[in-house]
């Protein structure tokens, strides 16, 4: 580019819409003030008319529908040069940006620049803070000697660029320019997925979302800094591209793409009593541009049936494993990044540096509460909370006997309009976003104890049920009456492992079991209608397999592993899931399975005895015959 030396003092560089917006990816452009670096350029006489337009595009209509936007002019186009070479015909070669003649804007821009950079304006930009902002915060690498602190991070990570911070300072709710946005004559017209401003004098603008009513899953858009097209006097077609630019256009900007959501998952949705289940709550760091204070509070509500992790627990095992169960908060660049110490906040401790976590255990039979409050920490730690990053909260809950199918819901309360005087004040305009509810299911099965005729129901049989991997540790059940047993606590009942068939129809039902395979033993024979001997009692397995991953349902498939005596089988009707047969003696065993093997062994043994007996008798007969002949 080649621009006259008169441009040097207020050089603003080749501005593109993407370059001036800290909320979308930026392109790489170069800027050089030296005459020899700007070939084939011609100065333009700039139009003084109101020919410019600005267009704000949205990926979804909901980002602009029903909202109001105001534009405030903060920068002027003082000089411009156009490329004259054929390859770049119709494109800009250079542009000079100045500050509008307004003391409030000048003061606010100066204060914003010095606060964000902790530096004073360069002497070349004295009185022109917007020119300094344009020249040093556009996210490009530049060779101009006046540009001493170019913010290339805006191109790599636009949410963290200095320009975004300056925009926030200028458009902040308590800023000196607040009244100017409200009284600005430049208001946008919303149509479908765009907002259009027309009849503008060319220059640099901040666009601010002035809405007072925002959908619950969104918030006011972050402020956007964007330049209009450059208009030459007498030419109604504006220059929107730069000869050395990346092809992006002036006059067009994308509204921030930001929806507030809250998600929740569980490592397992079937947890046996006394065991811990791990949960994950996920949300995204919001764009907080324009906010001086921000509300962002996650509330998780485990129902009865869950015990929160507690470092002061009397259970030594729980105390020893507390680090694995306690609440932790991670901030990750990508949602699928692994959880690691590098993205773990507070080093896993709740010291209020980045958030405040409050865990309240409910009384027996009542819900508990987990509240993670981020608030102004989002604004105070922009190096950690980078908009678009994933926040993941993890913790474990212990299943207790208060409920068999406890639920765990989550919600998010967040700012929608930037009216807070403090993050905890009652004047904050907020909305609630509901996340999913996780239902932790338990399952069960029903067995029926009968004689071999399959019609005579038996009472009084005793069974134990244990996890397959720990068969010597039977599960304890509470007697719920009428032949029903549950792992959920029953008032007035004491849990016991040996459970008895008490119903007249010979059925015994159990519930409150997690999915998996269980070792079932009959440890006592029936006593009614006849007393059976404790002989050949079955020992078998039952497997419970959920039929869906939908946590709102708890249907299960039940399969049975046959016992050695073939006394157990899957039920063929709906009266039970498993049929357990008992016999009064060994000879009544079915001639299959272990019973068939035993019978075969007995037959072989009898035949062997008969053979041995016949051989003995034959020898005696032969010996007697031999003596008589002698």
């Amino acid at each position: 580019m080649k621009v006259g030396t008169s441009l040097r003092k207020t050089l603003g560089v080749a501005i593109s819409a993407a370059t001036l917006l800290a909320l979308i990816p930026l392109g790489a452009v170069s800027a050089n003030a030296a005459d020899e670096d700007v070939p084939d350029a011609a100065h333009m006489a700039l139009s003084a008319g109101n020919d410019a337009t600005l267009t704000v595009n949205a990926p979804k209509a909901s980002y602009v529908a029903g909202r109001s936007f105001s534009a405030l002019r903060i920068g002027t186009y003082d000089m411009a040069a156009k490329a004259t070479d054929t390859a770049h015909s119709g494109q800009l070669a250079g542009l000079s940006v100045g500050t509008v003649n307004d003391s409030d804007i000048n003061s606010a821009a100066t204060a914003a620049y010095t606060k964000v950079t902790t530096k004073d304006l360069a002497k070349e930009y004295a009185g022109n803070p917007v020119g300094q902002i344009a020249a040093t915060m556009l996210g490009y690498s530049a060779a101009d000697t006046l540009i001493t602190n170019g913010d290339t991070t805006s191109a790599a990570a636009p949410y963290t660029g200095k320009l975004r911070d300056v925009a926030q300072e200028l458009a902040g709710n308590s800023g000196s320019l607040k009244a100017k946005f409200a009284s600005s004559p430049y208001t946008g017209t919303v149509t479908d997925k765009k907002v259009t401003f027309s009849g503008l004098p060319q220059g640099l603008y901040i666009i601010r979302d002035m809405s007072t009513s925002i959908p619950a899953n969104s918030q006011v858009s972050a402020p956007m800094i964007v330049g209009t097209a450059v208009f030459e006097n007498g030419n109604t077609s504006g220059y929107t591209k730069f000869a050395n630019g990346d092809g992006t256009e002036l006059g067009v900007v994308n509204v921030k793409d930001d929806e507030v959501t809250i998600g929740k998952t569980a490592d397992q949705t079937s947890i046996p009593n006394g065991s811990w289940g791990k949960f994950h709550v996920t949300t995204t760091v919001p764009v907080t541009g324009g906010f001086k204070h921000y509300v962002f509070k996650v509330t998780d509500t485990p129902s009865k049936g869950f015990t929160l992790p507690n470092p002061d627990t009397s259970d030594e095992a729980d105390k020893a494993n507390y680090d694995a169960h306690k609440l932790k908060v991670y901030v990750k660049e990508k949602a699928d990044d692994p959880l690691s110490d590098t993205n773990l906040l507070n080093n896993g401790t709740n010291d209020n540096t980045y958030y405040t976590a409050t865990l309240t255990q409910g009384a027996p039979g009542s819900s508990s509460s987990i509240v993670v409050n981020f608030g102004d920490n989002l604004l105070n730690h922009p190096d950690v909370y980078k908009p678009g990053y994933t926040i993941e909260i993890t913790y474990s809950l212990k299943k207790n006997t208060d409920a068999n199918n406890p639920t765990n819901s989550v919600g998010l309360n967040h700012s929608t309009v930037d009216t807070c005087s403090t993050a905890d004040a009652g004047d904050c305009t907020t909305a609630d976003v509901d996340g999913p509810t996780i239902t932790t299911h338990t399952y069960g099965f029903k067995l029926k104890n009968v004689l071999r005729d399959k019609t005579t129901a038996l009472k009084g049989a005793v069974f134990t049920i244990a996890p397959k991997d720990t068969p010597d540790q039977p599960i304890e059940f509470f007697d719920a009456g009428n032949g029903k047993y549950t792992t959920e606590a029953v008032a007035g009942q004491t849990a016991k492992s040996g459970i008895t068939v008490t119903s007249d129809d010979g059925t015994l039902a159990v519930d409150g079991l997690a999915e998996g395979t269980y070792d079932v033993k009959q440890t006592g024979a029936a006593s009614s209608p006849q007393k059976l001997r404790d002989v050949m009692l079955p020992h078998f397995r039952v497997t419970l397999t959920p039929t869906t991953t939908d946590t709102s349902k708890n249907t299960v498939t039940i399969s049975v592993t046959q016992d050695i005596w073939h006394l157990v089988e899957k039920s063929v009707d709906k009266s039970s899931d498993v049929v357990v047969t008992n016999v009064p003696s060994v000879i009544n065993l079915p001639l299959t399975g272990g019973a068939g093997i035993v019978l075969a062994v007995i037959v072989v043994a009898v035949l062997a005895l008969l053979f041995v007996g016949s051989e003995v008798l034959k020898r005696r007969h032969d010996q007697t015959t031999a003596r008589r002949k002698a």
Side-chain angles (χ1 to χ4, degrees), residues 57-313:
N57 291 319
K60 298 179 181 179
S62 60
Y63 286 112
V64 295
R67 303 199 193 189
S68 59
F69 293 84
S70 178
L72 179 65
R73 188 173 182 238
I74 61 172
T76 60
Y77 291 165
D78 293 347
M79 297 181 185
K82 58 185 175 181
T84 57
D85 60 305
T86 304
H88 299 99
S89 177
Q91 298 179 356
L92 291 167
L95 180 64
S96 172
V97 176
T99 302
V100 297
N101 185 21
D102 185 295
S103 59
D104 289 336
I105 291 176
N106 194 308
S107 297
T110 300
Y113 175 83
T114 55
K115 180 177 180 179
V116 170
T117 65
T118 67
K119 296 181 179 181
D120 294 329
L121 291 173
K123 63 180 181 180
E124 294 87 356
Y125 290 98
N128 183 17
V130 176
Q132 172 92 76
I133 290 168
T136 60
M137 297 183 178
L138 301 182
Y140 58 86
S141 298
D144 186 357
T145 56
L146 297 183
I147 301 175
T148 57
N149 61 332
D151 179 20
T152 58
T153 62
S154 288
Y159 288 117
T160 63
K162 292 186 179 72
L163 188 65
R164 177 258 186 190
D165 296 333
V166 166
Q168 180 170 327
E169 288 297 318
L170 290 174
N173 184 57
S174 61
S176 61
L177 304 186
K178 178 181 178 181
K180 291 186 180 294
F181 281 103
S183 61
S184 172
Y186 310 124
T187 57
T189 301
V190 178
T191 56
D192 192 25
K193 297 180 181 181
K194 65 177 59 179
V195 182
T196 304
F197 296 84
S198 57
L200 308 176
Q202 58 186 314
L204 198 64
Y205 288 79
I206 295 185
I207 299 176
R208 190 178 190 273
D209 188 344
M210 305 294 290
S211 307
T212 57
S213 178
I214 302 293
N217 66 336
S218 189
Q219 59 199 29
V220 291
S221 299
M224 298 158 277
I225 298 180
V226 61
T228 69
V230 177
F231 289 87
E232 186 176 14
N233 193 27
N235 186 353
T236 57
S237 297
Y239 289 80
T240 60
K241 294 185 179 182
F242 289 83
N244 292 346
D246 62 357
T248 54
E249 296 185 58
L250 290 168
V252 180
V253 68
N254 291 335
V255 73
K256 69 171 181 61
D257 184 2
D258 185 49
E259 283 185 326
V260 179
T261 60
I262 186 81
K264 188 182 188 74
T265 60
D267 286 356
Q268 62 284 317
T269 57
S270 181
I271 306 172
N273 284 338
S275 296
W276 291 87
K278 192 167 187 177
F279 296 83
H280 303 257
V281 175
T282 54
T283 185
T284 303
V285 178
V287 177
T288 56
F291 286 83
K292 287 296 183 182
H293 299 285
Y294 199 85
V295 174
F296 203 72
K297 183 186 298 183
V298 175
T299 301
D300 194 280
T301 310
S303 73
K304 66 177 183 177
F306 281 131
T307 301
L308 303 183
N310 177 12
D312 301 321
T313 179

